[in-house]
């Protein structure tokens, strides 16, 4: 564990530029070699079976600094979230690197995470398991046809909301490492009772609104999915396969979102307005035709009023 811990610390420090005293031709830590192997190492460091107790990293850093512990969580943040501005110092002591990474996926820009967030009391569990049914969520294309707009929220996978006909979803980059990352985070949630199920809930929700490549294309045009994985069909297949035979307890926030979406879709006015927009306002030509028709109708009314008034004046 000491050897693995030293290797992990050295890889992360070198990859983020904190250390650069290796020869350019070093077989592991040389800058050109590291550029090639760092993505694979970062992926393997998230495998559940490869998790090293992060306490080992804390102690190694303390030994190196004469008893002073630098924040290993911040090192993980710089390695996995190089563009992220939020500080991981608020996360406190975690279990392992995957635990830190998962919490990073869920953090909102303005929130401060506390250790007690991981613990759920008996009353909370009763509320969650008391919900036996949930509304059926349609695909993104169907929701769009029902008048629902999609907008990006933040990078936090928990930041899903619905209000005033707008469904806000977190921005996600889908690439070759996405499947492995989600599978390991979801497995960790299932095996660790205090981790809860936020990542699994997010993936399940995305599986519900993504049925095919048209749904992915719609979310891509709205800036929600950044596809660096392949075709839109491949992304749809990825999300659909992640949730095969996956069951999870109810998630209070997403249950509320699904309920509000379902109520929105049931209202006749919203359906009629969406149908009108889809039929008459989809292209500029149909809008011009409708405007011309309304203008001619207004002229006809004005002519009729003028004729009546002239008749009474005589």
């Amino acid at each position: 564990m000491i050897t693995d811990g030293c290797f992990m610390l050295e890889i992360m420090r070198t990859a983020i530029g904190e250390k650069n005293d290796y020869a350019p031709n070093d077989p592991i830590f040389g800058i050109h070699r590291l550029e090639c192997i760092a993505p694979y190492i970062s992926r393997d460091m998230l495998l559940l079976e490869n998790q090293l107790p992060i306490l080992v990293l804390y102690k190694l850093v303390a030994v190196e600094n004469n008893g002073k512990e630098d924040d290993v969580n911040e090192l993980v943040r710089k390695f996995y979230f190089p563009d992220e501005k939020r500080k991981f110092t608020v996360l406190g002591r975690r279990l392992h690197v995957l635990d830190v990474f998962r919490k990073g996926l869920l953090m909102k820009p303005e929130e401060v995470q506390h250790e007690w967030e991981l613990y759920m009391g008996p009353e909370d569990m009763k509320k969650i398991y008391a919900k036996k049914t949930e509304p059926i969520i349609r695909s993104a294309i169907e929701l769009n046809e029902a008048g629902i707009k999609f907008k990006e929220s933040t990078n936090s996978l928990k930041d899903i909301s619905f209000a005033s006909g707008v469904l806000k979803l977190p921005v996600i980059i889908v690439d070759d490492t996405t499947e492995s990352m989600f599978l390991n985070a979801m497995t960790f949630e299932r095996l660790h009772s205090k981790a809860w199920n936020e990542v699994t809930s997010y993936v399940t929700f995305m599986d519900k609104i993504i049925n095919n490549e048209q749904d992915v294309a719609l979310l891509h045009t709205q800036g929600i999915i950044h596809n660096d994985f392949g075709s839109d069909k491949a992304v749809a297949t990825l999300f659909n396969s992640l949730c095969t035979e996956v069951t999870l307890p109810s998630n209070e926030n997403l249950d509320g979102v699904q309920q509000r979406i379902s109520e929105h879709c049931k209202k006749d006015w919203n359906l009629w307005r969406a149908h009108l927009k889809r039929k008459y306002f989809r292209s500029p030509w149909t809008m011009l035709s409708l405007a011309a028709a309304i203008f001619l109708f207004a002229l006809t009314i004005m002519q009729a009023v003028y004729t009546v008034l002239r008749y009474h004046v005589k």
Side-chain angles (χ1 to χ4, degrees), residues 144 147 149 272-283 286:
N144 185 248
K149 297 179 181 179
W272 179 82
R273 183 178 58 181
H275 175 74
L276 183 66
K277 181 178 179 181
R278 188 167 61 251
K279 187 174 182 179
Y280 296 105
F281 298 98
R282 173 161 288 186
S283 70
T286 56

Side-chain angles (χ1 to χ4, degrees), residues 104-275:
L105 288 175
L106 300 171
M107 285 182 68
K108 296 181 180 180
E110 71 282 358
E111 78 177 333
V112 176
Q113 300 286 331
H114 296 282
E115 192 70 25
W116 55 263
E117 290 180 349
L118 294 177
Y119 296 88
M120 303 295 291
E123 295 302 318
D124 297 316
M125 300 299 290
K126 287 180 182 179
K127 292 179 182 178
I128 289 170
Y129 284 102
K131 299 179 181 179
K132 300 182 181 297
T133 60
E134 60 180 17
I136 296 176
I137 295 298
R138 309 176 189 182
S139 68
I141 290 293
E142 291 176 313
L143 293 178
N144 185 248
E145 291 179 348
I148 292 177
K149 297 179 181 179
F150 295 88
K151 289 187 178 180
E152 54 189 83
S153 56
T154 64
N155 292 331
S156 170
L157 299 188
K158 294 194 298 183
D159 200 0
I160 299 177
S161 62
F162 179 77
S164 303
V166 178
L167 177 59
K168 291 186 176 182
L169 297 170
V171 179
I172 180 174
I173 299 175
V174 180
D175 55 26
D176 293 333
T177 66
T178 302
E179 180 176 15
S180 175
M181 177 266 291
F182 275 138
L183 285 175
N184 282 282
M186 292 165 66
T187 303
F188 170 63
E189 288 183 343
R190 293 178 71 84
L191 295 180
H192 198 277
S193 59
K194 295 178 182 178
W196 210 224
N197 60 6
E198 290 97 340
V199 174
T200 306
S201 298
Y202 164 79
V203 175
T204 304
F205 185 85
M206 293 298 288
D207 175 47
K208 291 177 180 178
I209 66 173
I210 294 177
N211 286 344
N212 50 48
E213 58 268 32
Q214 284 80 20
D215 299 311
V216 176
L218 174 61
L219 296 176
H220 173 71
T221 58
Q222 301 302 315
I224 294 168
I225 291 181
H226 295 223
N227 185 2
D228 195 26
F229 182 59
S231 65
D232 291 337
K233 184 177 181 180
V235 175
T237 302
L238 170 64
F239 276 101
N240 296 155
S241 64
L242 286 172
C243 294
T244 303
E245 298 183 1
V246 171
T247 58
L248 73 159
S250 179
N251 181 290
E252 186 173 357
N253 176 55
L254 288 184
D255 284 347
V257 170
Q258 295 181 39
Q259 186 64 45
R260 289 191 291 274
I261 291 175
S262 180
E263 292 173 355
H264 175 93
C265 293
K266 289 178 181 179
K267 293 179 179 178
D268 293 335
W269 162 249
N270 291 326
L271 295 176
W272 179 82
R273 183 178 58 181
H275 175 74

Side-chain angles (χ1 to χ4, degrees), residues 90-115:
V90 296
L91 295 180
R93 294 209 168 191
R94 313 308 306 176
L95 296 174
H96 38 60
V97 170
L98 177 59
D99 190 14
V100 177
F101 177 81
R102 174 184 164 276
K103 295 297 290 184
L105 288 175
L106 300 171
M107 285 182 68
K108 296 181 180 180
E110 71 282 358
E111 78 177 333
V112 176
Q113 300 286 331
H114 296 282
E115 192 70 25

Side-chain angles (χ1 to χ4, degrees), residues 59-71:
K59 294 302 181 183
L60 287 173
V61 170
V63 170
E64 180 185 29
N65 295 332
N66 296 321
K68 181 181 178 181
E69 291 188 9
D70 288 340
D71 198 338

